[in-house]
Amino acid sequence: MRTKKNSCHFLRNMNPTVSPLDQAKISNRDYHVAIGVIGYESRARFFFETHSVRASVKLAFQFSDHQTLDFSSNLKFFTSAGFVPISPEQAGLDSLSAKIVELSASSKESISVIFDVSSLTRKLMSSVFFLLRKVSLQLFRSIDLTIVYSLAKFGSLPPDFGPVVFNGPAIPELCGWPKEPTQELGLVIGIGYERDLALGVIEELEPAALWMFRPRNLDKNYDAEIEEKNRGLFDNSVGAQASLYPIEDPYASFVAVDTLLSKCHTKYRTIILPLGPKIFAAAACLSALRLYPHIGYWRVSGGKNVEPVDRAPSGRILGLCADFNPK
Amino acid sequence: MNLSSIVTFDQFNARTLPPEKVAKTFIPPDQFKDICAHSHTTIIGPRGSGKTSLLKMLHPAALSNWEGGFAETIKRSISYTGVLIPSDITWNKQTLSFVEGLPVDEQRTFKTAAFTARVLHELLSVMIYRLGEPDGSTHVFRQSSLTRETEREIVTQMAEAFSLKLRTYTLRAIKHALTARNIEIWQIAQERHVQRSKDIPSWMFLDFFSCATYAIELYDDAINEGSGTWALLFDEVELLPEWLLNGLMTAFRSTNEKILFKLAISPFDERYENIRTALESMPDQDYKEIILWHPNKEEGHMFSQLLFQGLCHQRGIEISSVSDLLGPSLMEEGRDSNAYKFGSIQYDILHDALQLDGSFKRYWSRFGLNLEKIDQLPEWERASRVRKVYPIVAIRMFFRRFPSADGRDPRQRLRGRKNREIYSGGDSVLSITEGNPRWIIGIARLLIENSKSDSRPIAPEIQAMQIEEAGNRFRARIRTISLAPLLPQGRETTLLEFIDILGTYFQQRVLGDKFLSEPPLSFEVDENTNSNLQLAIGRAVNVGALVHLPQAGRRKILNSVKGERFRLSYMLAPYYKIPMRIGYCIKLSKILEGVDADQEEFLPFLA
């Protein structure tokens, strides 16, 4: 196993290369690692249930809270499909890391990972992405990541998000460390379906510059929902300028975000806070990793108050590919 | 997508404007003269009250660009050089996160190092600014000069003291080195995460105050201002970790005559004990405490008026007063000669009230008042029995349903006015915005955008809509504030739910069956109030949802709210349908008696 002598490898520049997902190639192939999530949404298992994916190692992060709605069905599916449940906390991440290290010892090729991000938290998503980056640098080995996302069928969210229990870096490593700390704050925010949440966050952080991304959905019901839930933000002429990103084209969304972050972090102390669809959050996280450590990748959490709602799968799979290559 | 589609919030927040731009549109509040005084100062106010703007105005770049009005008089009175050390929530969280996972004492070292680097960076920036342009083409506030040789000498000494490696010996080089130091601090922290044996360089333990004092002495001696004074201007002091706050207070209490401290601070923090102790030990003449809120609404009107006029002027709209643009307030107590006469709005409202509001009629009869002869009343009686109750009557008429013999909705009698229009009008808007620059700018901008140049005043329904919009934005902000850390078990509660309890209580007293000439509209915190609730009140004060009513002779910063008095912000008055006044002060426990015991989320506040 080849490692770089400098143990502070992860401080080095390593820009993951991002590319579109080739839908034709995600099934019927062998991966080294498949990662799923055992949560309460029925779409958590949709991808692995409907696609034939072979992997040497199959792991599924199992959440300990909100074990309701479709949780039992998901648990049953994943365990019967050979997935080993792991904790979504550090212990689980350590297991994942250990498996990748183990696999790299027995193979000289890139490590291939397929990861369904449909039903996981932004904290966990960014933890996994950062871990893959770190392990790639540690092992000096390329890791090919295939990100899949099961688009949900339209269904309204509860009217009130509840209080913001946490508003800060998704993980400490992605707090964002500006080159020039006296720069003004630039906030890039993804708009979501939670009533007034984006507005509240903007009001709290008071950015000097603000960019907003809102999804352009396939289902127009979603667009109406976003409009209604963010009326306070959009009605204000200052807040009216939001860029639309096509949810059905995650790669285009990534390019838009990445281009923006690349420019604005030279002028602003920049934070991205991607409310809204997880696939956008994934694109945003990849961009933050490309510009590590300068971009802060932040999240808000509503704590235990948030009522779990099942988001059934629409049948459509979206995704992105990222190549973590330290060479 | 390109950067030209940037949406900026610079209209809202002085934080986003450099000092020289703040100065261009600066309207000094009454308190500014005291803030400029040659003394330690704490500037206390909730979010949006203008603390950052006021600190920025003490920066030489702002003072250099401030013209007109009292600018020259005030500038002549300022005998120190201001150095602003900015802060914000984001930076605070970033500095907490980057060392997460390291031992606590190490975290402290790194955070202190980042803080010291920041203070020195800002200090060097101001030193450079005071030198002006190399060709001497501009004159700056407290202009100074250095020969190349002298600059090299002091820079050499600074570099040695701060352990900075320089390639050129200029003040700019030191400043750039301090920028690079920031990245170095992050790198060392990351290395410590991986390799615990990695050394922590000795410069990480430098103390900001000692370093700043040393640099200032070198500079002042070099520019022949040995007795010069500098003011370190710290923004959002409440965001500092405790030990840094303690360090700041120690420096604050020092007898170093070269350095003043001006601290911008939110009104409440349970850690303020240390600050209060430091301040209470200082003679009054050495220290000033400036509050940026107005317990009584009229106190803020003059400043709000000027700011509003200034904003209109920027948009090419000239107004002699806010009422010129927005018309009279329907809730105005009416002091002009036509008020309460037949045909006036006050007359109409009182007339309808006497027909419909039996409880009010009993009040009116008790004092033998006659609507047709109000102008014949002695002034004291007119003020205390009529003008004082008029806003309450008006609100009841706009929002309360009264049983009517003919079955019609009595509100239709008010000539088709919509309910929230009662809060429209110049004086009302001035009261609602509480002298808070952020709110004034926010509402003014929306109103000005909606006004047509030849249409004055702006229609009440448009004003009502914008006022409602502003209130909703504020409520959205309050809704996101969790009280979760105060309630370790169970359901998280938001600050808004607590404010709703207060607002609903006051509303019920104003709109209830019984007319109250002085309804309770403020509260006093009982001595035995639950500690969770005290913290909730503190947070509400800091965000501006509650307004502290300080008692004479007491320090204005709070580490405890027990025994203190508060009212709801008038920005929330339209939502809760309450008048904008302090009203009768009631014990908080009385308000909480009405909280339904089934409201589980509030049980921890009641224990």
Side-chain angles (χ1 to χ4, degrees):
Chain A
M1 182 174 72
R2 193 179 149 194
T3 59
K4 293 294 284 186
K5 285 182 184 166
N6 181 358
S7 59
C8 301
H9 39 77
F10 62 91
L11 295 175
R12 298 201 310 274
N13 263 340
M14 196 273 274
N15 298 333
T17 309
V18 181
S19 55
L21 177 74
D22 186 342
Q23 296 270 357
K25 291 184 180 172
I26 48 174
S27 298
N28 284 316
R29 61 165 280 195
D30 295 309
Y31 292 88
H32 287 100
V33 184
I35 308 172
V37 172
I38 305 170
Y40 56 80
E41 292 183 336
S42 51
R43 63 175 173 153
R45 65 180 184 275
F46 178 76
F47 173 75
F48 288 112
E49 206 171 31
T50 54
H51 291 71
S52 173
V53 168
R54 296 183 296 275
S56 307
V57 171
K58 292 182 183 178
L59 301 170
F61 289 106
Q62 179 178 332
F63 285 103
S64 57
D65 55 350
H66 297 312
Q67 291 188 348
T68 179
L69 298 174
D70 256 52
F71 180 87
S72 300
S73 304
N74 288 335
L75 180 60
K76 189 175 170 188
F77 166 76
F78 278 106
T79 47
S80 62
F83 282 78
V84 175
I86 56 173
S87 159
E89 307 301 332
Q90 191 58 45
L93 295 168
D94 290 343
S95 299
L96 172 60
S97 177
K99 288 293 181 193
I100 295 175
V101 170
E102 203 178 294
L103 285 165
S104 72
S106 55
S107 165
K108 289 192 179 173
E109 57 190 38
S110 296
I111 309 292
S112 55
V113 179
I114 183 161
F115 185 19
D116 183 353
V117 302
S118 309
S119 296
L120 85 174
T121 62
R122 284 161 182 78
K123 177 183 174 186
L124 184 54
M125 182 197 302
S126 52
S127 296
V128 171
F129 287 8
F130 191 83
L131 182 151
L132 294 177
R133 179 187 184 276
K134 188 173 162 186
V135 172
S136 168
L137 282 164
Q138 184 184 356
L139 299 175
F140 205 63
R141 178 76 68 89
S142 170
I143 296 181
D144 289 322
L145 172 65
T146 302
I147 300 164
V148 292
Y149 172 77
S150 174
L151 190 64
K153 200 184 292 186
F154 177 75
S156 285
L157 292 174
D160 280 321
F161 178 78
V164 171
V165 171
F166 178 85
N167 175 9
I171 54 175
E173 295 86 345
L174 291 176
C175 65
W177 198 255
K179 288 180 185 172
E180 174 59 72
T182 56
Q183 283 172 326
E184 301 287 3
L185 175 66
L187 175 65
V188 180
I189 190 164
I191 304 296
Y193 313 105
E194 301 86 354
R195 184 180 298 283
D196 287 332
L197 183 58
L199 177 61
V201 167
I202 292 165
E203 294 274 315
E204 182 183 7
L205 297 182
E206 297 180 317
L210 172 70
W211 297 263
M212 298 190 292
F213 282 90
R214 61 185 280 187
R216 189 184 66 217
N217 290 283
L218 296 170
D219 185 334
K220 295 302 171 205
N221 286 313
Y222 274 124
D223 291 345
E225 184 94 359
I226 281 203
E227 191 69 41
E228 203 270 324
K229 294 283 176 68
N230 291 278
R231 186 168 307 287
L233 183 59
F234 294 146
D235 280 354
N236 183 317
S237 62
V238 170
Q241 300 176 42
S243 296
L244 291 172
Y245 65 89
I247 195 170
E248 77 279 10
D249 189 347
Y251 182 66
S253 307
F254 164 78
V255 170
V257 167
D258 194 56
T259 306
L260 173 65
L261 291 179
S262 300
K263 285 182 186 169
C264 66
H265 93 276
T266 58
K267 204 175 164 203
Y268 295 94
R269 187 165 37 100
T270 306
I271 300 273
I272 181 159
L273 206 158
L275 303 175
K278 296 270 172 48
I279 191 63
F280 178 75
C285 190
L286 290 172
S287 181
L289 285 174
R290 281 169 49 77
L291 295 162
Y292 177 79
H294 304 304
I295 304 291
Y297 181 77
W298 283 35
R299 66 180 177 98
V300 291
S301 165
K304 303 185 196 68
N305 242 10
V306 181
E307 200 182 307
V309 171
D310 187 24
R311 315 281 312 283
S314 66
R316 183 84 186 259
I317 298 294
L318 306 171
L320 280 169
C321 292
D323 177 21
F324 294 88
N325 190 341
K327 294 169 190 159
Chain B
M1 176 82 197
N2 57 54
L3 278 180
S4 65
S5 64
I6 287 172
V7 174
T8 58
F9 269 18
D10 59 1
Q11 305 95 318
F12 275 48
N13 198 327
R15 185 190 308 283
T16 74
L17 296 176
E20 53 271 23
K21 287 206 172 155
V22 172
K24 295 287 185 201
T25 54
F26 181 62
I27 308 266
D30 296 336
Q31 305 94 321
F32 189 59
K33 196 162 165 238
D34 284 334
I35 289 170
C36 293
H38 195 102
S39 63
H40 296 313
T41 314
T42 49
I43 304 162
I44 312 162
R47 284 169 77 80
S49 56
K51 302 190 292 288
T52 302
S53 180
L54 292 167
L55 286 185
K56 279 195 179 180
M57 278 307 298
L58 299 180
H59 190 287
L63 293 168
S64 301
N65 285 279
W66 188 31
E67 293 168 345
F70 297 108
E72 293 311 313
T73 308
I74 291 180
K75 284 198 279 189
R76 274 196 294 274
S77 74
I78 297 176
S79 55
Y80 52 81
T81 305
V83 178
L84 174 63
I85 295 98
S87 184
D88 59 36
I89 289 172
T90 316
W91 177 242
N92 182 53
K93 288 187 181 179
Q94 286 171 312
T95 52
L96 287 173
S97 291
F98 90 108
V99 291
E100 192 175 312
L102 291 176
V104 171
D105 57 339
E106 260 188 61
Q107 290 187 28
R108 194 177 285 206
T109 302
F110 280 99
K111 287 183 231 178
T112 304
F115 181 75
T116 300
R118 189 151 196 179
V119 170
L120 294 176
H121 183 277
E122 296 306 321
L123 178 60
L124 267 294
S125 297
V126 172
M127 287 177 173
I128 293 165
Y129 182 84
R130 281 187 60 184
L131 297 176
E133 293 298 324
D135 64 1
S137 59
T138 56
H139 180 76
V140 299
F141 184 76
R142 297 183 69 73
Q143 177 112 34
S144 58
S145 64
L146 279 175
T147 63
R148 230 352 118 77
E149 190 185 332
T150 314
E151 183 180 9
R152 189 185 170 86
E153 272 175 32
I154 64 172
V155 167
T156 304
Q157 292 178 77
M158 283 188 204
E160 188 181 338
F162 306 156
S163 302
L164 291 167
K165 291 191 177 58
L166 304 179
R167 289 194 183 159
T168 57
Y169 286 82
T170 64
L171 291 171
R172 277 189 202 281
I174 286 236
K175 189 182 111 168
H176 293 151
L178 287 164
T179 302
R181 174 152 287 177
N182 187 58
I183 294 284
E184 199 180 348
I185 290 169
W186 177 84
Q187 277 187 307
I188 295 170
Q190 305 316 305
E191 287 170 3
R192 288 288 295 182
H193 277 297
V194 174
Q195 200 178 322
R196 300 289 300 118
S197 58
K198 177 84 182 169
D199 288 335
I200 296 179
S202 58
W203 55 258
M204 297 261 302
F205 299 92
L206 290 171
D207 162 63
F208 84 91
F209 187 57
S210 309
C211 292
T213 308
Y214 180 64
I216 285 168
E217 279 180 16
L218 284 173
Y219 185 87
D220 278 357
D221 285 346
I223 62 171
N224 295 317
E225 270 187 31
S227 57
T229 313
W230 293 64
L232 298 181
L233 318 168
F234 289 95
D235 199 8
E236 306 230 45
V237 166
E238 68 276 6
L239 294 179
L240 292 176
E242 187 140 11
W243 72 88
L244 267 177
L245 201 57
N246 293 342
L248 192 55
M249 286 301 104
T250 302
F252 197 92
R253 287 197 301 268
S254 78
T255 53
N256 188 318
E257 291 178 354
K258 283 190 77 62
I259 298 187
L260 298 172
F261 287 87
K262 295 189 187 280
L263 314 177
I265 200 166
S266 288
F268 173 87
D269 192 300
E270 58 269 31
R271 302 171 308 152
Y272 281 172
E273 181 62 39
N274 215 350
I275 296 182
R276 286 182 72 114
T277 306
L279 299 179
E280 275 156 16
S281 67
M282 302 194 66
D284 282 346
Q285 64 271 20
D286 292 340
Y287 164 69
K288 285 187 190 303
E289 205 170 43
I290 313 286
I291 66 170
L292 296 183
W293 68 91
H294 307 281
N296 297 301
K297 62 188 180 201
E298 292 83 9
E299 292 163 355
H301 278 202
M302 173 85 77
F303 167 70
S304 303
Q305 182 99 256
L306 289 172
L307 185 53
F308 216 108
Q309 284 175 285
L311 292 164
C312 287
H313 174 73
Q314 282 174 31
R315 304 294 178 105
I317 299 170
E318 300 301 329
I319 57 171
S320 56
S321 70
V322 177
S323 294
D324 188 19
L325 186 70
L326 303 180
S329 168
L330 296 176
M331 267 203 291
E332 222 170 305
E333 290 177 2
R335 293 169 195 271
D336 64 68
S337 56
N338 290 324
Y340 302 96
K341 285 188 177 164
F342 179 80
S344 67
I345 183 66
Q346 293 90 356
Y347 180 96
D348 286 345
I349 285 178
L350 287 173
H351 177 273
D352 284 353
L354 287 168
Q355 304 298 312
L356 295 166
D357 191 347
S359 180
F360 171 64
K361 189 173 178 183
R362 283 191 286 281
Y363 163 86
W364 193 259
S365 301
R366 191 182 331 138
F367 294 107
L369 298 169
N370 185 333
L371 185 57
E372 312 304 326
K373 294 181 182 176
I374 288 181
D375 55 347
Q376 295 174 25
L377 288 174
E379 172 55 28
W380 69 267
E381 195 170 359
R382 198 171 139 122
S384 63
R385 297 211 169 118
V386 180
R387 285 209 302 268
K388 187 179 166 189
V389 304
Y390 169 75
I392 300 164
V393 178
I395 284 182
R396 285 171 67 86
M397 288 310 296
F398 267 74
F399 293 113
R400 188 180 151 79
R401 287 190 174 273
F402 294 99
S404 168
D406 60 9
R408 281 199 296 150
D409 181 345
R411 285 172 290 186
Q412 291 173 0
R413 294 168 186 270
L414 289 168
R415 296 167 182 82
R417 291 183 190 275
K418 296 199 175 53
N419 298 15
R420 288 204 165 85
E421 289 177 21
I422 191 173
Y423 291 97
S424 65
D427 275 1
S428 283
V429 169
L430 292 178
S431 297
I432 284 168
T433 51
E434 295 267 17
N436 182 305
R438 191 166 176 219
W439 290 348
I440 296 166
I441 293 168
I443 282 192
R445 194 177 50 77
L446 293 169
L447 287 170
I448 293 167
E449 276 175 12
N450 280 285
S451 77
K452 296 178 187 142
S453 58
D454 57 349
S455 170
R456 293 200 197 162
I458 297 173
E461 59 264 26
I462 292 178
Q463 293 182 49
M465 197 167 67
Q466 303 301 347
I467 289 165
E468 189 171 343
E469 166 66 31
N472 287 342
R473 282 183 72 102
F474 186 43
R475 282 175 58 82
R477 169 75 186 99
I478 300 170
R479 188 184 295 120
T480 62
I481 299 174
S482 167
L483 301 179
L486 309 180
L487 302 170
Q489 287 95 34
R491 182 182 180 278
E492 283 95 8
T493 312
T494 82
L495 189 59
L496 186 61
E497 292 175 61
F498 170 58
I499 298 296
D500 277 345
I501 286 180
L502 299 173
T504 304
Y505 179 87
F506 295 143
Q507 182 194 93
Q508 287 169 349
R509 298 302 165 291
V510 170
L511 300 181
D513 289 340
K514 186 176 177 194
F515 170 78
L516 297 173
S517 60
E518 192 167 11
L521 291 166
S522 58
F523 65 91
E524 180 177 314
V525 181
D526 306 68
E527 287 296 322
N528 60 349
T529 297
N530 177 287
S531 58
N532 288 332
L533 196 47
Q534 290 184 52
L535 292 175
I537 292 168
R539 288 186 185 178
V541 172
N542 287 348
V543 79
L546 290 178
V547 177
H548 182 212
L549 307 172
Q551 295 167 63
R554 288 165 70 145
R555 294 287 184 201
K556 311 297 187 298
I557 58 165
L558 301 172
N559 63 308
S560 167
V561 298
K562 285 187 206 173
E564 301 292 337
R565 296 181 174 188
F566 303 90
R567 62 167 172 82
L568 279 177
S569 165
Y570 295 146
M571 177 61 77
L572 298 170
Y575 182 84
Y576 295 113
K577 303 166 192 162
I578 55 177
M580 293 181 284
R581 55 163 41 144
I582 293 174
Y584 175 73
C585 186
I586 194 172
K587 292 284 189 190
L588 178 61
S589 52
K590 187 79 182 160
I591 297 175
L592 296 177
E593 274 174 15
V595 173
D596 194 327
D598 287 340
Q599 286 175 265
E600 266 182 29
E601 65 273 17
F602 255 86
L603 289 180
F605 289 113
L606 306 180

